[in-house]
Amino acid sequence: LENFFNFTSNPRDMLSSRSTRWIKYGALILMVAQNSAFVLVMRFSRKQQDVSNASHGATYNISMVVTLQELFKLILCFAILAAQHRSIHAALSPLRKPKELVRISVPAACFTLQNNVLYIALSNLDPLLFQITYQVKTLLTALLSVRMLGRSFGRFQ
């Protein structure tokens, strides 16, 4: 039980243990809020589009929204890499290596396709049902990684 609460005899270690715990729980709370807000905001925007579409005929393209999301993330990641390495050249170096480029682009393409499908699913499903099925993917990923990759997970993983 002592290891569970990370008690130590050194006050400095205890302080870092407490701050680590706050970071863990803070990150958990932010992730729950982000996932909940993601579904609600996306659903609201799709419903607003349906309402404005009926009166004005104006719509937004789901693929364009996803493309702009990915472009924003790409720019942000390059900016962070350039700041870390203090060089734009170093941030762009993975793009000059074909093997690295494939390792980056294949998951990015799959993620972009997934986001397009998420918008379509949320347009057609109730938000609660969508959220439940959206969270099942985490469980399914864990089960498939155990089955296909031979990995093992602990009780709290």
Side-chain angles (χ1 to χ4, degrees):
L1 191 60
E2 186 174 314
N3 287 337
F4 179 78
F5 292 108
N6 293 329
F7 290 128
T8 61
S9 58
N10 187 346
R12 180 174 276 167
D13 291 342
M14 188 180 259
L15 179 63
S16 71
S17 171
R18 285 183 185 159
S19 65
T20 302
R21 195 173 316 134
W22 277 104
I23 290 171
K24 286 179 185 178
Y25 289 125
L28 177 65
I29 290 168
L30 286 174
M31 289 295 293
V32 168
Q34 186 268 336
N35 279 333
S36 300
F38 165 73
V39 171
L40 295 175
V41 169
M42 198 167 31
R43 178 68 175 191
F44 178 75
S45 75
R46 296 299 293 158
K47 287 301 176 186
Q48 285 299 106
Q49 179 185 5
D50 291 343
V51 170
S52 75
N53 191 14
S55 62
H56 297 20
T59 62
Y60 67 84
N61 188 345
I62 294 170
S63 298
M64 182 58 78
V65 171
V66 172
T67 302
L68 289 174
Q69 285 175 341
E70 297 304 315
L71 182 64
F72 176 74
K73 288 191 276 186
L74 179 70
I75 292 169
L76 183 66
C77 287
F78 279 127
I80 290 170
L81 279 174
Q84 281 179 342
H85 296 290
R86 300 192 196 298
S87 167
I88 293 175
H89 179 71
L92 295 174
S93 67
L95 299 179
R96 293 188 186 100
K97 301 172 187 169
K99 192 172 184 179
E100 286 295 316
L101 186 59
V102 169
R103 290 177 66 190
I104 294 169
S105 61
V106 169
C110 292
F111 191 69
T112 303
L113 177 66
Q114 178 191 10
N115 279 341
N116 278 307
V117 171
L118 287 176
Y119 270 98
I120 293 167
L122 193 56
S123 299
N124 297 310
L125 294 174
D126 181 61
L128 180 61
L129 180 61
F130 174 82
Q131 185 72 316
I132 291 169
T133 54
Y134 185 66
Q135 296 304 320
V136 166
K137 76 175 184 173
T138 305
L139 180 61
L140 187 60
T141 301
L143 291 174
L144 288 175
S145 69
V146 167
R147 178 78 171 141
M148 293 172 66
L149 301 175
R151 295 190 61 186
S152 62
F153 291 106
R155 183 176 174 187
F156 292 106
Q157 281 183 307

